[in-house]
């Protein structure tokens, strides 16, 4: 009971549709319940301005901290009696790590193109509700080392990395 | 990435040997990332046996130099603790080592795991906490954990607050000055949540929280306001310093923060600030959503109850917001608050009632209008000038929909009934209502005109019209459903007044046999209705009339016998039916033609008239057989009956379940059964004994004194008499306070023939445990009162 635990992390777009979500609690047993939760949460926070500072709200007896950037909405949910500042630290870690991984352009298109990175990122932050890491640099580092295996040949990398590597090769050859 | 997918799919370990073995290889690979992830995945899909195989690797991983690997192992350990605690507990040495690690998060995870392992050992937790509070904790998360564990220790280390400071309080206070905000906040929160915390201990925490109130970050403000709100409930004075900061929060962008600020201010406000607060809140209310508004209303209500002198301004405030736009829940909350204020603050009554009247002129919610009208009917006549309200009420009769009109008619009638001076005018108004378009309104108007206009004792009539119905509606509905139209009219007194909590399924099947273990048969699920249905379905018993009472089952065999039998006594006017519930506990036997031979030689007034045998009684399936006796009508005959179970027993082959063709007759002796006077008494309680006693009148009263002889104690004597009479104790008088020398017990019941009986017993205990009792009986029939005394005299 004492260990700070996260109930879910959500990444929604500017209309409330899912980009990437991960639930760590059994309170939402099936997908329709989850989607209903996401929709109502989105509607409630839509009108607030959470771009400069993280905002906070109580919703259905949970505490939600959230932050918006461009057309993406980041949410972290915790229990009613959770330390709100811990939740905010997790939110900030997620937010900054995504920023690092998407190389600065944090919007929906980039996020969808790099969905694998986002999912890995979520995996590295919280494991089964327990906080694994909150430092954005460390998180981004772990994700990067996951996806790009230094010695693996081109065929084993995922498509996006292959493209990225190809792009780098191209740009290097152009600059030569 | 593959790791993430495997975790999502979460197969069970035995399904995916290939996956697990490759994961195990990964666990020992050189790349740390693979090791860490492999550990996490394996631990999620593992089971006990696999776990023992990889345990060695996990233990190594916990103390691995690479923090990622160590964290992975530790976190997996925390998860595994839920399913395989013994295995994880074996790692406590390694975990202890990990707690000393230099890597920040490893310490955090190790601390969490160690605490979970040692959770039940208070001493171990205590040691853990003491060593770490003196040592250095590297990550803010670990520090927060430590604060939480410290508060747990403080909570559990009894209440030694007389001896100066609590243990570890200094540590908590020190944390208030930590670098990381989350630690500061956690420490402040922990301090405010200490048991019986004093103002002195609170002060540093509150100062810190006050600083947060003015932070730029909404999260900090929210956290601080929420905590202060909680503190304000128990220590409002400690929070008053923050009032200025909180007042500025009322206009905060974040509405949750604003609402919390307002409610805290409402709790900590003192009388002088109430007016100022009210002004600020009025502007605030229009901004916030309904759900927040309800929270504020409730805070205002408690404020008003705290400062009754301010009721005027608060009442004005409430009625103003009542007039504005708002949803049903919101208005209901406001109306409820006004009603509570009227009830608790007598000076507010007049103005409150007027406010409510003005509200119903304009209210769009029928439910609220009817509630208010009903309330007016109760409170209005008690005020100094009830006629004021008549106009408002009568207007409802003209202007509103049918439901409200009906409610208004009832209210008018109440006024007429309670206030004699208004009666003639009310009559005029009610006569006009006779021409209404709606049935209900006309019916009510006619009813009231006739009853109020007639001569009759005022009290009776009021009781009839406006008294509360004692009977739970569920029971009434059930009885009405069972009532078949016949010559006899429906008797409302026959509706049982107790609410019997019965699972719905059981009621539907009086004949179904519930399965159970061999042993005392589970009672066929019973209410009076189930028995009635059962008995009326048996043609021999169908014409016995109405079932008066069914007793509780009485065991006729001891536990663990071959055949378990209990009996239920059903009492009718001129008959008694014994229902024997039998269970056969021998798997190799099948009983057929089961009957009970009853010897009524010691019960002269009874004559056997019918019996219904049980065709077949297989193993473990309870069945019923019946024997009916005739007795003189209306007479509470008593007697003893001895019983013998007679049947044909057939051997059953346990493997095939088939019985032989031939059987042997056999008999089985059961215990005796008695019909006593208490069987003729229904336990029916009354809610107001005094009223019932007064209304019964002394004509059929019998009083007598008895000496009960030496008894263990007063309680035992009281219980004995209650059981003897079989009546229902009222108003909790069956409980005898220990060490009392005297006690009055009030009983009520209904005797056979539907005669209401009330009994007042006065007990006194003399020196050497001699109990004397004075019995006063009132009933509707002299003979019954005499009978009661008979029972006691012979009992």
């Amino acid at each position: 009971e004492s260990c700070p635990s996260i109930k879910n992390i959500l990444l929604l777009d500017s209309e409330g549709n899912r980009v990437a979500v991960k639930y760590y609690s059994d309170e939402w047993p099936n997908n329709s319940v989850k989607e209903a939760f996401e929709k109502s949460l989105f509607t409630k926070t839509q009108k607030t301005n959470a771009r400069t500072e993280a905002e906070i709200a109580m919703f259905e007896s949970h505490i939600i901290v959230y932050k918006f950037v461009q057309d993406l909405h980041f949410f972290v949910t915790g229990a009613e009696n959770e330390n709100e500042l811990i939740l905010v630290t997790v939110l900030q870690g997620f937010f900054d790590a995504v920023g690092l991984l998407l190389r600065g352009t944090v919007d929906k298109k980039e996020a969808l193109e790099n969905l694998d990175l986002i999912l890995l990122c979520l995996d590295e932050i919280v494991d089964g509700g327990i906080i694994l890491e909150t430092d954005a640099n460390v998180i981004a580092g772990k994700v990067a080392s996951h996806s790009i295996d230094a010695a693996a040949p081109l065929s084993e990398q995922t498509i996006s990395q292959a493209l990225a590597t190809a792009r780098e090769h191209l740009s290097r050859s152009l600059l030569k | 990435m593959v790791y993430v997918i495997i975790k999502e799919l979460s197969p069970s370990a035995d399904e995916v040997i290939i996956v697990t073995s490759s994961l195990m290889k990964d666990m020992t690979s050189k790349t740390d990332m693979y090791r860490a992830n492999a550990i996490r995945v394996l631990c999620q899909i593992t089971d006990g046996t696999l776990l023992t195989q990889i345990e060695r690797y996990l233990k190594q991983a916990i103390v691995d130099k690479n923090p990622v690997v160590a964290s992975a192992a530790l976190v997996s350990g925390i998860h595994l603790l839920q399913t395989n605690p013994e295995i994880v507990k074996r790692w406590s040495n390694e975990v202890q080592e990990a707690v000393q690690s230099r890597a920040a998060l490893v310490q955090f995870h190790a601390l969490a795991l160690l605490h979970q392992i040692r959770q039940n050992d208070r001493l171990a937790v205590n040691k853990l906490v003491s060593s770490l509070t003196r040592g250095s904790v590297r990550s803010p998360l670990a520090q927060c954990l430590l604060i939480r564990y410290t508060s747990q220790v403080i909570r559990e280390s009894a209440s030694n607050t007389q001896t100066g400071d609590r243990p570890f309080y200094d540590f908590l206070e020190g944390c208030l000055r930590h670098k990381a905000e989350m630690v500061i906040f956690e420490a402040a929160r922990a301090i405010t949540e200490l048991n019986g915390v004093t103002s002195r201990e609170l002060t540093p925490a509150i100062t810190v929280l006050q600083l947060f109130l003015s932070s730029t970050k909404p999260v900090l403000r929210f956290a601080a306001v929420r905590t202060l709100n909680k503190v304000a409930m128990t220590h409002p004075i400690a929070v008053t310093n923050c009032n200025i900061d909180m007042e500025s929060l009322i206009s905060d962008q974040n509405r949750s923060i604003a609402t919390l600020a307002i409610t805290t201010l409402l709790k900590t406000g003192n009388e002088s600030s109430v007016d100022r607060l009210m002004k600020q809140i009025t502007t605030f209310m229009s901004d916030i959503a309904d759900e927040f508004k309800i929270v504020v209303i409730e805070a205002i209500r408690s404020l008003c109850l705290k400062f009754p002198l301010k009721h005027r301004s608060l009442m004005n405030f409430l009625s103003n917001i009542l007039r504005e736009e708002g949803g049903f829940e919101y208005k209901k909350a406001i109306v409820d608050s006004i009603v509570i204020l009227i009830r608790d603050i007598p000076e507010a009554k007049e103005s409150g009632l007027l406010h409510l009247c003005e509200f119903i002129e304009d209210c769009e919610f029928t439910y609220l209008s009817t509630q208010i009208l009903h309330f007016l009917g109760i409170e209005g006549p008690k005020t100094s000038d009830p006629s004021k309200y008549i106009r408002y009420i009568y207007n409802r009769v003209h202007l509103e929909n049918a439901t409200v009109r009906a409610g208004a008619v009832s209210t008018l009638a109440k006024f007429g009934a309670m206030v004699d001076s208004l009666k003639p005018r009310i009559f005029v108004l009610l006569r006009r209502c006779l021409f209404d378009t709606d049935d209900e309104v006309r019916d009510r108007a006619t009813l009231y005109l006739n009853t109020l206009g007639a001569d009759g004792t005022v009290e009776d009539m009021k009781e009839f019209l406006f008294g509360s119905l004692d009977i739970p509606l569920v029971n009434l509905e059930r009885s009405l459903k069972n009532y078949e139209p016949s010559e006899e009219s429906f008797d409302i007194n026959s509706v049982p007044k107790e609410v019997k909590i019965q699972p719905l399924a059981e009621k539907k099947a009086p004949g179904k046999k519930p399965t159970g273990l061999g042993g005392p048969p589970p009672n066929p699920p019973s209410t009076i209705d189930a028995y009635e249905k059962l008995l009326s379905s048996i043609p021999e018993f169908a014409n016995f009339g109405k079932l008066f009472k069914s007793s509780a089952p009485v065991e006729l065999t001891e536990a663990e016998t071959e055949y378990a039998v209990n009996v239920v006594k059903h009492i009718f006017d001129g008959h008694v039916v014994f229902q024997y519930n039998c269970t056969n506990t021998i798997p190799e036997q099948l009983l057929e033609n089961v009957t009970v031979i009853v010897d009524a030689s010691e019960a002269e007034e009874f004559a056997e008239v019918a019996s219904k045998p049980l065709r077949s009684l297989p193993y473990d399936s309870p069945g019923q057989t019946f024997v009916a006796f005739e007795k003189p009508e209306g007479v509470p005959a008593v007697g003893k009956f001895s019983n013998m179970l007679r049947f044909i027993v057939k051997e059953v082959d346990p493997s095939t379940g088939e019985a032989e063709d031939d059987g042997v007759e056999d008999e089985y002796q059961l215990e005796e059964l008695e019909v006593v006077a208490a069987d003729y008494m229904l336990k029916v309680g009354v809610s107001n004994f005094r009223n019932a006693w007064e209304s019964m009148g002394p004509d059929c009263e019998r009083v007598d004194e008895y000496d009960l002889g030496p008894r263990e104690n007063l309680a035992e004597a009281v219980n004995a008499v209650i059981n003897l009479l079989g009546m229902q104790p009222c108003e909790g008088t069956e409980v005898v306070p220990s060490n009392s020398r005297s006690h009055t017990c009030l009983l009520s019941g209904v005797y056979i023939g539907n005669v209401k009986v009330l009994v007042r017993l006065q007990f006194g205990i003399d020196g050497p445990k001699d109990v004397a009792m004075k019995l006063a009986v009132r009933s509707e029939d002299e003979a019954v009162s005499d009978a009661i005394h008979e029972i006691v005299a012979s009992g």
Side-chain angles (χ1 to χ4, degrees):
Chain A
E1 47 100 273
S2 340
C3 194
S5 78
I6 308 288
K7 292 196 175 180
N8 64 45
I9 303 187
L10 308 174
L11 182 54
L12 307 178
D13 72 359
S14 49
E15 276 142 34
N17 302 319
R18 273 187 191 179
V19 175
V21 305
K22 193 89 172 70
Y23 285 81
Y24 307 104
S25 153
D26 294 328
E27 280 174 49
W28 297 274
N30 58 36
N31 212 31
S32 48
V33 177
K34 291 182 184 161
E35 288 187 346
F37 175 73
E38 289 159 27
K39 274 257 166 321
S40 36
L41 176 57
F42 178 76
T43 338
K44 178 161 168 159
T45 55
Q46 204 174 14
K47 304 218 187 67
T48 56
N49 175 13
R51 289 179 190 270
T52 39
E53 290 287 350
E55 277 284 347
I56 183 167
M58 280 206 60
F59 179 67
E60 286 180 11
S61 76
H62 308 296
I63 306 249
I64 322 255
V65 295
Y66 53 97
K67 203 161 175 179
F68 301 164
V69 71
Q70 297 282 14
D71 51 2
L72 286 177
H73 297 223
F74 293 74
F75 299 89
V76 172
T77 312
E80 217 179 344
N81 56 354
E82 193 55 77
N83 182 333
E84 298 90 337
L85 300 181
I86 294 185
L87 296 176
V88 139
T89 321
V90 171
L91 177 70
Q92 201 63 39
F94 180 44
F95 187 81
D96 293 335
V98 168
L100 287 171
L101 288 171
L102 298 183
R103 302 169 221 237
T105 31
V106 186
D107 61 16
K108 180 173 169 185
K109 190 161 92 45
E110 275 297 316
L112 286 175
E113 280 186 6
N114 294 290
L115 198 57
D116 54 340
L117 296 178
I118 309 259
L119 290 174
L120 281 171
C121 189
L122 280 172
D123 187 59
E124 291 296 340
I125 298 184
V126 174
D127 179 297
I130 302 184
I131 306 174
L132 268 187
E133 184 57 69
T134 54
D135 185 322
N137 290 312
V138 177
I139 301 174
K142 285 204 277 182
V143 172
S145 68
H146 243 298
S147 41
I148 302 180
D149 189 348
L154 210 60
S155 54
E156 277 195 36
Q157 294 183 12
T158 61
I159 306 269
S160 42
Q161 270 92 52
L163 281 176
T165 325
R167 237 183 277 136
E168 287 202 40
H169 280 285
L170 194 57
S171 46
R172 248 181 270 139
S173 59
L174 284 176
L175 289 169
K176 264 194 227 133
Chain B
M1 196 63 183
V2 180
Y3 297 115
V4 178
I5 301 212
I6 299 181
K7 265 193 282 186
E8 278 297 317
L9 293 174
S10 284
S12 70
D14 45 5
E15 287 173 355
V16 282
I17 306 275
I18 302 181
V19 176
T20 45
S21 49
S22 53
L23 282 172
M24 279 166 66
K25 213 160 64 76
D26 276 345
M27 271 207 318
T28 50
S29 96
K30 278 191 280 224
T31 318
D32 294 329
M33 280 308 303
Y34 289 169
R35 287 230 301 282
N37 280 301
I39 292 178
R40 282 168 63 192
V41 180
L42 262 178
C43 291
Q44 223 176 332
I45 63 178
T46 191
D47 61 12
T49 50
L50 184 57
L51 191 52
T52 40
Q53 286 173 347
I54 58 176
E55 205 184 332
R56 189 162 60 90
Y57 299 112
L58 287 174
K59 284 211 245 187
Q60 280 175 344
I62 293 181
V63 291
D64 192 293
K65 281 189 301 270
N66 183 318
V68 181
V69 175
S71 285
L74 288 164
V75 172
S76 309
I78 300 182
H79 292 309
L80 284 171
L81 202 56
Q82 315 297 330
T83 46
N84 304 56
E86 335 69 41
I87 299 188
V88 180
K89 288 197 180 140
R90 296 207 283 260
W91 308 344
S92 46
N93 283 333
E94 282 79 10
V95 181
Q96 181 84 39
E97 229 188 283
V99 171
Q100 314 296 337
S101 151
R102 319 211 83 231
L105 283 170
V106 176
Q107 193 178 39
F108 165 58
H109 295 130
L111 182 55
L113 180 56
L114 198 57
H115 178 258
Q116 292 244 18
I117 293 179
R118 304 240 175 107
Q119 216 174 21
N120 301 326
D121 184 350
R122 255 181 35 180
L123 203 48
V125 173
N126 215 320
K127 259 184 18 186
L128 178 64
V129 169
S130 342
S131 62
L132 279 175
T133 50
R134 274 180 260 121
S136 63
V137 178
R138 277 165 236 285
S139 79
L141 281 172
Q143 190 88 340
C144 286
L145 264 191
L146 191 56
I147 294 178
R148 292 189 189 186
Y149 300 154
T150 314
S151 353
Q152 192 185 357
V153 167
I154 296 184
R155 228 179 307 143
E156 289 172 356
S157 66
S159 42
N160 304 336
T161 40
Q162 291 90 353
T163 63
D165 274 337
R166 301 160 197 271
F168 301 120
Y169 175 75
D170 298 323
F171 166 68
L172 286 178
E173 213 228 326
C175 286
L176 288 175
R177 296 185 276 276
H178 197 273
K179 271 188 311 199
E181 284 167 339
M182 68 162 92
V183 177
I184 303 179
F185 175 66
E186 187 76 40
R189 201 166 65 146
I191 294 183
T192 55
E193 286 171 2
L194 289 174
N195 282 348
V197 62
T198 64
S199 319
R200 194 171 57 88
E201 290 170 330
L202 273 179
T203 333
I206 299 205
T207 333
V208 154
L209 290 172
Q210 192 175 355
L211 287 171
F212 278 174
L213 283 178
S214 31
S215 145
T216 46
K217 294 197 232 180
V219 182
L220 280 173
R221 298 200 297 264
F222 179 86
V225 157
R226 203 157 74 107
T227 318
L228 286 171
N229 194 347
K230 262 195 232 126
V231 176
M233 284 194 245
T234 44
H235 297 85
I237 313 169
V239 183
T240 39
N241 294 334
C242 308
N243 276 1
I244 319 275
D245 298 284
M246 276 208 257
E247 286 185 22
S248 58
L249 282 181
I250 301 185
S251 45
D252 193 298
Q253 286 275 22
N254 183 322
R255 289 343 250 153
S256 313
I257 298 183
T259 319
L260 282 168
I262 289 253
T263 43
T264 318
L265 283 170
L266 285 170
K267 284 185 203 125
T268 62
N270 45 27
E271 285 205 53
S272 48
S273 61
V274 170
D275 294 317
R276 204 180 60 226
L277 261 184
M278 284 299 125
K279 268 201 230 88
Q280 283 173 310
I281 295 184
T282 334
T283 42
F284 164 78
M285 286 299 263
S286 38
D287 282 341
I288 55 179
D290 265 9
E291 46 183 5
F292 292 139
K293 283 193 201 168
I294 299 184
V295 174
V296 178
I297 301 287
E298 301 191 348
I300 294 185
R301 185 199 313 171
S302 6
L303 186 70
C304 196
L305 291 172
K306 226 170 36 161
F307 301 121
L309 296 172
K310 286 279 165 189
H311 68 85
R312 206 173 301 278
S313 60
L314 289 167
M315 191 70 88
N316 283 337
F317 172 74
L318 283 175
S319 68
N320 282 337
I321 52 178
L322 198 53
R323 270 189 257 271
E324 290 169 18
E325 292 286 319
F328 172 65
E329 285 301 330
Y330 171 53
K331 299 240 168 147
K332 183 164 174 319
I334 304 181
V335 169
D336 288 339
S337 304
I338 299 187
V339 164
I340 294 182
L341 291 181
I342 293 181
R343 264 210 288 260
D344 293 340
I345 306 181
E347 302 85 24
K349 204 195 299 215
E350 307 262 330
S351 56
L353 289 175
L354 271 175
H355 283 307
L356 285 176
C357 287
E358 285 169 14
F359 172 57
I360 53 177
E361 307 237 293
D362 203 14
C363 169
E364 67 243 32
F365 300 111
T366 312
Y367 176 82
L368 287 179
S369 297
T370 43
Q371 291 287 86
I372 295 182
L373 282 170
H374 179 81
F375 182 67
L376 271 177
I378 303 178
E379 294 288 335
K382 298 188 212 155
T383 61
S384 53
D385 181 17
S387 56
K388 273 205 293 244
Y389 307 109
I390 306 283
R391 180 173 66 86
Y392 291 103
I393 308 175
Y394 188 56
N395 281 341
R396 298 305 102 223
V397 179
H398 280 306
L399 301 173
E400 301 273 2
N401 62 37
T403 324
V404 180
R405 292 207 298 274
V409 168
S410 296
T411 314
L412 281 178
K414 253 189 233 156
F415 270 78
M418 307 284 195
V419 185
D420 279 336
S421 57
L422 292 175
K423 241 201 216 181
R425 288 146 68 183
I426 299 279
F427 276 8
V428 174
L429 296 176
L430 283 177
R431 264 184 229 121
R432 292 205 206 134
C433 299
L434 286 176
F435 299 107
D436 194 283
T437 46
D438 180 79
D439 292 346
E440 177 70 23
V441 179
R442 286 201 307 272
D443 285 346
R444 286 200 195 188
T446 328
L447 170 69
Y448 292 132
L449 273 175
N450 287 340
T451 43
L452 288 179
D455 299 318
T457 44
V458 182
E459 284 308 316
D460 272 349
M461 174 245 320
K462 278 199 228 172
E463 184 57 31
F464 167 69
L465 285 178
F466 307 121
S468 54
L469 196 62
D470 271 343
I471 308 167
L473 286 174
V474 180
N475 295 353
L476 185 59
E477 182 188 349
R478 221 186 295 139
S479 301
L480 280 170
K481 280 202 197 134
N482 289 339
Y483 170 68
E484 283 145 47
S486 72
E487 291 292 309
E488 255 181 66
S489 50
F490 180 72
D491 183 7
I492 199 157
N493 291 323
S494 69
V495 179
K497 297 228 171 106
E498 303 99 41
V499 183
K500 294 195 173 104
I501 307 165
Q502 294 281 340
L504 205 53
E506 290 190 55
K507 271 204 290 194
K508 293 201 204 121
K512 237 194 263 170
K513 299 174 176 150
T515 52
L517 305 165
N523 313 316
S526 48
T527 59
I528 297 246
D529 318 314
Y531 280 145
E532 277 195 63
K533 279 212 190 66
L534 176 63
L535 291 169
S536 51
S537 65
I538 303 172
E540 292 92 327
F541 307 149
N543 56 354
F544 284 174
K546 191 160 176 337
L547 177 63
F548 176 69
K549 178 180 169 174
S550 304
S551 75
V554 177
E555 295 292 334
L556 293 181
T557 54
E558 296 181 11
E560 306 294 331
T561 49
E562 301 111 328
Y563 315 109
V565 179
N566 66 32
V567 69
V568 177
K569 299 176 263 186
H570 300 291
I571 314 281
F572 294 84
D573 244 358
H575 297 86
V576 169
V577 176
F578 298 136
Q579 173 182 337
Y580 296 90
N581 302 314
C582 318
T583 309
N584 169 19
T585 68
I586 304 178
E588 295 88 23
Q589 287 189 355
L590 168 67
L591 305 184
E592 290 193 343
N593 257 344
V594 182
T595 57
V596 178
I597 308 298
V598 184
D599 181 359
S601 41
E602 291 190 41
E604 298 100 17
E605 294 169 311
F606 292 86
E608 180 167 342
V609 286
S611 90
K612 186 164 185 330
L614 176 58
R615 286 264 156 275
S616 148
L617 185 64
Y619 166 62
D620 205 25
S621 169
Q624 293 95 32
T625 169
F626 301 84
V627 179
F629 283 83
E630 198 177 356
K631 72 168 187 51
E633 259 201 49
V635 170
V638 298
K640 269 210 191 82
F641 301 82
S642 59
N643 309 284
M644 179 114 74
L645 194 67
R646 183 177 286 172
F647 45 85
I648 300 179
V649 57
K650 293 192 173 160
E651 294 282 324
V652 171
D653 187 353
S655 47
T656 60
E658 282 178 17
E660 289 175 11
D661 289 326
D662 293 324
V664 177
E665 251 203 48
D666 201 358
E667 290 183 347
Y668 188 78
Q669 184 71 41
L670 303 171
E671 288 176 14
E672 283 189 352
L673 123 77
E674 259 194 85
V675 174
V676 295
D679 286 327
Y680 293 101
M681 178 76 71
L682 264 181
K683 282 190 178 202
V684 177
V686 289
S687 47
N688 192 335
F689 190 85
R690 168 172 290 250
N691 269 355
W693 186 261
E694 302 299 328
S695 60
M696 190 138 329
D699 326 314
C700 303
E701 175 165 354
R702 293 278 175 279
V703 185
D704 214 348
E705 292 197 14
Y706 298 89
D707 181 7
L708 298 182
R711 297 276 170 170
E712 271 300 308
N713 54 31
L714 207 47
E716 191 251 327
V718 172
N719 279 334
V721 178
I722 294 180
N723 286 337
L724 182 65
L725 287 175
M727 296 171 75
Q728 173 78 21
C730 301
E731 295 173 15
T733 49
E734 74 270 24
V735 181
V736 181
S738 46
N739 291 332
S740 54
R741 309 298 294 170
S742 69
H743 184 66
T744 306
C745 186
L746 308 169
L747 303 174
S748 89
V750 173
Y751 200 65
I752 189 161
N754 263 335
V755 177
K756 278 213 262 278
V757 184
L758 295 172
V759 165
R760 187 189 275 166
L761 298 164
Q762 277 153 313
F763 292 87
I765 186 163
D766 270 345
K769 302 197 179 206
D770 258 332
V771 179
M773 178 182 81
K774 179 167 162 198
L775 166 69
V777 179
R778 281 195 187 182
S779 75
E780 295 162 353
D781 187 347
E782 310 197 335
V784 174
S785 312
D786 284 333
I788 304 282
H789 276 269
E790 276 290 313
I791 300 175
V792 176
S794 54

